[in-house]
Amino acid sequence: MIAFAWYLLKVTLCAAVLYGYYRITLRNKIFHSWNRFYLLASLVLSITLPLIKIEIVHEPEQTNTQLIQLLNVVNAGDEIIYEASQEDRFRLSTEQVILYGYALICALMLVLLLRALLQIKKLIRHYPIQAFDDFYFVNTEAKGTPFSFLKYVFWNRQIEISSASGQQILKHELAHVREKHSWDKIFIHSLLIVFWSNPIFWFIRKELAMIHEFIADRKSIDQHDTEAFAAMILQAAYPAHQFALTNNFFKSPIKRRLLMLTKLKNPKASYISRVLALPLLTLLIAAFTLKTKPAGNNKVFKEAMDKPFVAVINAGHGGSDKGAVAEDGTAEKDLDLAIARKIKALNQNKKIKIILTRESDVFHDVKYIAASVAEINPDAFISIHINAAVPGAIENTTGGFEVLISGRNKLSAEKSVALGSLIVNELKKTCVIKEELKRRSEQGVWLLDAPTVKFPSAMITCGYITNKNDLSFIKEEKNQEKIAEHILDAIEKFSIINSPVNKALVNSTDTLPKRNSKNNIVKPNPANGSPEKSAINVANNENQSPNPNSKLTSSFSNPHPDPIYVLNGKFMGKGA
């Protein structure tokens, strides 16, 4: 919607410049055929120039030249609209409502055009037709006649065709037929179906209709006979009636038509007015089509622009590994998968590709997942989990969402901070979340700390399954969708920050809190199996080796032998 609105604005601006020149230098001049061509060309140029992009490659040191700076200013809006349009996805928002309303009016304009054509067709079928060399004569009693359309002249029986004024009216309508004015009208009416919101097109339509009349008047009235013209106008407008001249008669458009008949030619002024259109056309082409681009490896840059932003979403646990289980039997694995699926389903951004490590209730161990994701080498990796309080904790005292990043992995630390900070900022719009980004530095999370993790990564724990309020919130499908929307919004913003167009990475490291407390990850106690701190439902096994021959797959469907993990203070048979 944003890109289309920007295009409509550029069409309107282009048409306004061209029509403004017409009003100043060409209007009410007697070279009517040139004016007709100019207005039709203005319509074509207005809709095509904003679509044409001509790249001008310049050396980097030429960026500060006045011409390059001018072209950059003119085309700066294109880059802003391009980035904004990449964030669009299908939601029933105000923009979508406006788009549907615009399309509805377009449909109405199409119906009006078809209705007019059907009415003309009805006249052709209802009244007798006489065929001549280059036109068809239809003798009618319909209101609004006489008029012409394509090769048809629709006459009114109340006008005596053999009279002097009748002959002039016939010559007038035949001029419309032979000059093919009907095609002009069909063309501009077709444009108004889509560009009905453009006021300049409506002005051009009105002015073009007047030029048609000027041309027909010139061809039907000999030697500037204004008296014959007046008689013709009165009889055509009021068949079988005689009226004295009134003030209304001299109002436009009749007054303009009389003026055009009495004007004398000035070849010199005519030539100058038409030649002045060339500099204007050059300016418009430069403003709307030329686009500057620094010299360099354009192919590499284009490939980078065309490459989608890949985000891998890992839904924790799966299969026989339920993860944490609530008192009512709700399993963490199901909630993790539901949110991950919604992230992928909501994504309508063609520049972003979402890959799920699992799309069904299957199990993969964490080292296999880490190795498989490393083969993909995504632009972002996010793991979805739900937390649980340690056994014996007071019910509902521990809750809230958390976002974690690795404290060990230095390969993509800065970008991981940016990714995690964006997720925090989005989630806190709806969810109860601590406004601090947690970094594991002592005992971490394998999916974030593995040596193969060379890409931005973060883990989200969507509340505590042991907290009744958190559980009630996370089980609601509308809340799951809202969480997924927030995560997807963070991914989209992160993709823009790291796009080839915008190399400047948002530096959010200053917002990262300095934590002196120990990490809150499960650490098994071989003596009694109890955890030292509150548990997070993450599998962590240093001894399990990934399959070096694993192939890329969007479903991650090849399981590995079951390692032993500690989850929520209990020894479990499978990893997350």
Side-chain angles (χ1 to χ4, degrees):
M1 176 61 192
I2 294 176
F4 181 65
W6 179 244
Y7 170 69
L8 290 180
L9 177 60
K10 291 200 290 186
V11 170
T12 303
L13 290 175
C14 188
V17 173
L18 292 169
Y19 183 69
Y21 169 79
Y22 169 83
R23 293 282 298 190
I24 295 172
T25 62
L26 302 177
R27 190 173 185 265
N28 289 334
K29 298 296 190 298
I30 60 175
F31 32 94
H32 308 308
S33 296
W34 167 260
N35 284 357
R36 176 192 178 192
F37 166 78
Y38 178 85
L39 290 178
L40 290 173
S42 297
L43 295 172
V44 175
L45 289 173
S46 297
I47 61 177
T48 55
L49 285 181
L51 297 175
I52 300 173
K53 297 300 176 188
I54 302 174
E55 291 185 349
I56 298 180
V57 180
H58 63 88
E59 296 300 325
E61 58 270 16
Q62 295 177 338
T63 303
N64 294 325
T65 62
Q66 292 183 353
L67 177 59
I68 297 300
Q69 287 180 339
L70 176 62
L71 292 177
N72 284 338
V73 169
V74 172
N75 291 282
D78 289 343
E79 300 299 336
I80 298 172
I81 296 301
Y82 173 81
E83 292 296 338
S85 64
Q86 300 311 306
E87 297 187 53
D88 282 351
R89 61 176 182 269
F90 185 86
R91 294 179 187 170
L92 192 59
S93 60
T94 303
E95 290 182 1
Q96 297 294 336
V97 173
I98 294 174
L99 180 61
Y100 296 148
Y102 192 96
L104 182 63
I105 298 178
C106 291
L108 179 61
M109 294 293 294
L110 176 60
V111 170
L112 292 176
L113 176 60
L114 294 177
R115 180 173 176 268
L117 294 175
L118 288 175
Q119 288 176 337
I120 293 173
K121 186 176 182 180
K122 184 178 179 181
L123 289 176
I124 294 174
R125 288 183 174 181
H126 186 72
Y127 292 100
I129 300 175
Q130 287 181 274
F132 292 89
D133 290 340
D134 58 350
F135 74 97
Y136 299 95
F137 185 84
V138 185
N139 202 5
T140 77
E141 297 175 349
K143 293 182 179 180
T145 52
F147 66 85
S148 59
F149 181 76
L150 298 179
K151 290 188 175 183
Y152 292 88
V153 174
F154 296 85
W155 195 256
N156 191 299
R157 292 172 181 171
Q158 297 183 44
I159 299 176
E160 182 58 48
I161 193 172
S162 60
S163 65
S165 59
Q167 286 296 305
Q168 288 175 337
I169 293 172
L170 180 61
K171 288 171 64 179
H172 182 92
E173 296 304 329
L174 287 177
H176 285 310
V177 171
R178 288 161 182 165
E179 291 291 325
K180 298 179 173 55
H181 290 164
S182 296
W183 290 111
D184 296 359
K185 292 180 179 291
I186 293 174
F187 173 65
I188 194 167
H189 276 75
S190 300
L191 288 184
L192 286 171
I193 293 174
V194 178
F195 299 99
W196 58 264
S197 62
N198 188 337
I200 308 301
F201 278 17
W202 291 96
F203 293 148
I204 293 177
R205 173 199 176 199
K206 181 179 178 181
E207 196 64 26
L208 194 59
M210 284 303 308
I211 291 174
H212 290 164
E213 296 303 318
F214 296 158
I215 294 173
D217 290 342
R218 284 281 180 186
K219 292 183 177 295
S220 60
I221 304 297
D222 297 327
Q223 298 177 348
H224 311 296
D225 190 351
T226 56
E227 291 183 4
F229 171 78
M232 179 185 71
I233 293 295
L234 286 176
Q235 190 163 8
Y238 309 103
H241 293 278
Q242 298 293 329
F243 288 91
L245 294 179
T246 63
N247 290 331
N248 293 335
F249 179 82
F250 287 100
K251 286 187 177 180
S252 183
I254 296 178
K255 184 178 179 180
R256 283 186 65 192
R257 292 171 67 181
L258 284 170
L259 179 65
M260 289 299 104
L261 283 174
T262 56
K263 268 198 169 187
L264 298 176
K265 293 184 178 181
N266 187 340
K268 184 176 181 180
S270 169
Y271 178 78
I272 294 174
S273 298
R274 283 178 278 187
V275 168
L276 287 176
L278 297 178
L280 177 66
L281 182 60
T282 302
L283 176 63
L284 285 176
I285 292 175
F288 287 94
T289 66
L290 298 184
K291 202 173 184 66
T292 63
K293 186 175 183 180
N297 195 334
N298 298 330
K299 182 179 180 181
V300 173
F301 181 79
K302 185 178 185 303
E303 289 176 353
M305 289 295 295
D306 293 338
K307 181 182 177 182
F309 183 93
V310 177
V312 174
I313 308 298
N314 172 57
H317 308 281
S320 58
D321 174 20
K322 296 181 179 180
V325 180
E327 291 183 357
D328 63 358
T330 301
E332 178 197 351
K333 66 172 185 176
D334 298 325
L335 299 177
D336 294 342
L337 182 59
I339 295 172
R341 281 176 169 174
K342 284 179 171 56
I343 294 172
K344 184 174 183 179
L346 288 172
N347 178 43
Q348 298 294 325
N349 191 334
K350 295 180 180 179
K351 292 292 184 180
I352 294 178
K353 182 178 181 180
I354 302 294
I355 298 176
L356 303 184
T357 58
R358 67 181 181 98
E359 299 197 34
S360 59
D361 188 16
V362 296
F363 166 77
H364 307 295
D365 68 76
V366 290
K367 291 203 171 183
Y368 169 71
I369 293 174
S372 300
V373 174
E375 292 183 30
I376 298 174
N377 191 27
D379 298 292
F381 172 78
I382 298 174
S383 187
I384 308 294
H385 287 270
I386 301 175
N387 220 327
V390 297
I394 300 176
E395 186 179 6
N396 288 340
T397 58
T398 306
F401 284 54
E402 294 178 346
V403 179
L404 304 93
I405 61 173
S406 174
R408 295 179 175 181
N409 197 327
K410 306 301 182 183
L411 297 175
S412 58
E414 186 178 7
K415 290 188 177 183
S416 293
V417 170
L419 175 62
S421 298
L422 288 170
I423 296 172
V424 169
N425 290 335
E426 292 299 323
L427 286 176
K428 70 182 181 182
K429 295 177 181 179
T430 300
C431 310
V432 178
I433 184 171
K434 298 176 183 178
E435 296 186 18
E436 59 181 35
L437 191 59
K438 292 191 175 184
R439 174 180 275 171
R440 300 284 181 182
S441 59
E442 292 182 5
Q443 185 172 358
V445 179
W446 179 260
L447 290 179
L448 305 182
D449 296 341
T452 56
V453 179
K454 301 177 182 179
F455 37 81
S457 56
M459 178 172 291
I460 306 170
T461 60
C462 302
Y464 279 69
I465 204 167
T466 51
N467 183 300
K468 290 184 178 180
N469 293 331
D470 283 6
L471 180 61
S472 177
F473 177 84
I474 198 68
K475 285 175 65 176
E476 289 285 343
E477 186 173 353
K478 62 179 182 180
N479 293 332
Q480 295 173 3
E481 185 167 329
K482 199 68 179 176
I483 294 167
E485 284 184 0
H486 289 322
I487 296 173
L488 188 56
D489 287 340
I491 293 173
E492 289 185 332
K493 291 179 180 178
F494 186 71
S495 70
I496 293 173
I497 290 172
N498 292 277
S499 67
V501 176
N502 185 2
K503 294 291 186 180
L505 177 66
V506 172
N507 186 2
S508 55
T509 54
D510 292 338
T511 61
L512 186 67
K514 294 179 175 62
R515 296 175 54 85
N516 296 321
S517 60
K518 294 185 177 179
N519 301 304
N520 298 324
I521 189 90
V522 174
K523 186 174 182 180
N525 187 332
N528 53 23
S530 62
E532 294 182 358
K533 296 288 182 180
S534 62
I536 183 171
N537 301 304
V538 178
N540 189 7
N541 187 342
E542 299 287 345
N543 299 319
Q544 180 64 36
S545 300
N547 182 359
N549 298 319
S550 60
K551 301 296 183 180
L552 288 178
T553 171
S554 59
S555 62
F556 290 82
S557 58
N558 297 321
H560 285 263
D562 297 347
I564 301 297
Y565 299 106
V566 177
L567 301 170
N568 301 320
K570 299 179 180 179
F571 287 103
M572 304 295 292
K574 297 176 185 274

